Amino acid sequence: MNPNTGLILCQISKDFFKFYKLYINNLSVCLFLLAIIGRLLDCLEIKISKIMATLGVNIDHIANVRQARKTVEPDPVQFAFLAELGGADSITVHLREDRRHIQDRDVFLLKDTIKTKLNLEMAATEEMLEIAKKTLPDYVTLVPEKREEVTTEGGLDLKSNLQYLKNFVGNLKDSNIEVSAFIDPVGEQIHYSKEIGFDFIELHTGKYAELSGSEQYKELQRIIESTHLANDLGLVVNAGHGLNFNNVKKIASIDNINELNIGHSIVARALAIGLEKSVREMKSLLTSI
Ligand code: PXP
């Protein structure tokens, strides 16, 4: 044993005692330290309990522009790649019966090329079932579809199609595809979603987006209550429709919202921040002759 060990231990004890007297044996310093520790724990707790919502980017509008000319650009497959570069956690496309924007080829190519997840929105028809089983997207969101509508207007009416939807959802799940129901934030529809066997629901936020003031607040409360109810029943909750740069935060801060699906506002913003550059490039071609 080192002959100086006793001396060294003695010195350490003295130093510690000095430190104790100077800093710890002082009530206000103690309270200050406790407060800081409390704050740190609070922060930690918030980080642990608040799981951030992921972002599903709907690229139907890219295909809308292409289909306006029935040409090959802009290609939604390329834009899915850019959306992923920007941080998209999944890519959503709605293959409509009338093929007004997304085409079958887009769905197949997206499935092969995207690095995140493919969410295929579709109506519950036999034609779409076959396409889903061939493509095997990561998940399918069943939506109501009317030919004359501009966009998906309301949620699914699950009650009147209960048995048909049970078979339909079972069929998709047999192919290992998870299935979501696009529904209004209404308790009855949530209970039916559970009964039918959906894994997820997507709450329609269109009404919330259209309203303002106290009416919007009431709709937000309906969405929050619906999220809690669905969570209690073991359903994963997504939300979407009409969300934009002004109204998204209140929905994103709901506890246990899994994913937000957003299309129109993101594509509109992309035009706003990209058009000037595009015009400059064209102008420079004209002026460099
Ligand atoms: N979720 C569903 C089920 C939709 O049908 C749509 C619109 O295609 C969206 C989300 C995205 O809505 P928006 O384009 O208004 O962001």
Side-chain angles (χ1 to χ4, degrees):
M1 193 169 150
N2 187 331
N4 291 329
T5 305
L7 270 177
I8 294 168
L9 282 176
C10 193
Q11 191 57 47
I12 290 175
S13 313
K14 269 192 197 160
D15 287 348
F16 178 75
F17 190 64
K18 260 196 232 159
F19 177 76
Y20 177 82
K21 269 184 82 179
L22 198 61
Y23 297 108
I24 311 289
N25 191 20
N26 178 325
L27 191 61
S28 57
V29 173
C30 262
L31 289 175
F32 179 67
L33 284 175
L34 279 174
I36 289 185
I37 291 167
R39 279 283 168 92
L40 282 173
L41 286 176
D42 273 357
C43 291
L44 251 160
E45 182 129 356
I46 285 165
K47 284 229 170 82
I48 291 163
S49 64
K50 178 85 190 108
I51 298 163
M52 305 305 289
T54 56
L55 175 63
V57 176
N58 181 314
I59 53 171
D60 293 350
H61 280 326
I62 308 292
N64 264 327
V65 178
R66 176 190 61 192
Q67 294 313 112
R69 285 289 175 94
K70 301 238 174 332
T71 176
V72 292
E73 65 171 6
D75 187 340
V77 180
Q78 276 179 358
F79 281 76
F81 174 72
L82 295 178
E84 287 183 327
L85 272 185
D89 300 290
S90 66
I91 300 296
T92 300
V93 287
H94 183 175
L95 186 66
R96 294 186 81 103
E97 185 199 4
D98 62 10
R99 306 297 197 272
R100 69 172 75 157
H101 40 55
I102 293 294
Q103 306 297 303
D104 300 45
R105 154 275 183 207
D106 301 329
V107 182
F108 288 109
L109 279 175
L110 284 167
K111 165 68 188 175
D112 279 350
T113 54
I114 65 172
K115 309 278 183 301
T116 54
K117 286 183 175 175
L118 179 61
N119 171 21
L120 176 61
E121 279 179 18
M122 58 182 223
T125 63
E126 293 305 318
E127 183 202 12
M128 289 300 153
L129 180 64
E130 285 318 304
I131 292 173
K133 282 162 67 171
K134 258 192 236 157
T135 327
L136 300 176
D138 296 281
Y139 56 105
V140 155
T141 302
L142 294 184
V143 296
E145 206 175 285
K146 289 188 222 127
R147 252 179 190 272
E148 64 279 12
E149 70 190 354
V150 177
T151 180
T152 321
E153 281 166 1
L156 280 169
D157 174 12
L158 301 178
K159 188 180 181 179
S160 46
N161 299 301
L162 212 59
Q163 194 49 52
Y164 177 79
L165 285 172
K166 271 187 190 173
N167 296 338
F168 199 90
V169 169
N171 217 324
L172 286 166
K173 287 172 87 164
D174 287 345
S175 300
N176 287 325
I177 302 169
E178 292 186 299
V179 198
S180 176
F182 186 50
I183 55 169
D184 292 325
V186 172
E188 187 187 42
Q189 299 295 347
I190 295 165
H191 283 287
Y192 284 126
S193 303
K194 177 70 184 172
E195 188 181 334
I196 289 168
F198 284 101
D199 306 285
F200 298 76
I201 55 166
E202 179 175 334
L203 294 174
H204 197 317
T205 50
K207 211 168 180 185
Y208 159 82
E210 275 170 20
L211 294 169
S212 60
S214 64
E215 290 304 311
Q216 187 183 54
Y217 178 77
K218 274 190 221 156
E219 184 63 15
L220 178 65
Q221 296 314 306
R222 284 214 305 159
I223 295 171
I224 294 172
E225 281 161 25
S226 300
T227 305
H228 294 332
L229 171 63
N231 283 161
D232 289 347
L233 295 174
L235 292 162
V236 178
V237 182
N238 297 338
H241 214 285
L243 296 178
N244 60 36
F245 293 84
N246 295 319
N247 65 21
V248 74
K249 280 210 159 198
K250 285 189 191 130
I251 299 290
S253 19
I254 298 173
D255 274 345
N256 291 328
I257 279 274
N258 175 59
E259 182 156 275
L260 300 181
N261 283 312
I262 308 179
H264 187 88
S265 62
I266 292 179
V267 175
R269 177 85 183 131
L271 290 177
I273 59 185
L275 191 73
E276 187 184 330
K277 188 161 182 249
S278 173
V279 171
R280 272 183 208 292
E281 283 179 13
M282 183 59 83
K283 182 87 176 181
S284 80
L285 286 179
L286 306 192
T287 52
S288 63
I289 291 168

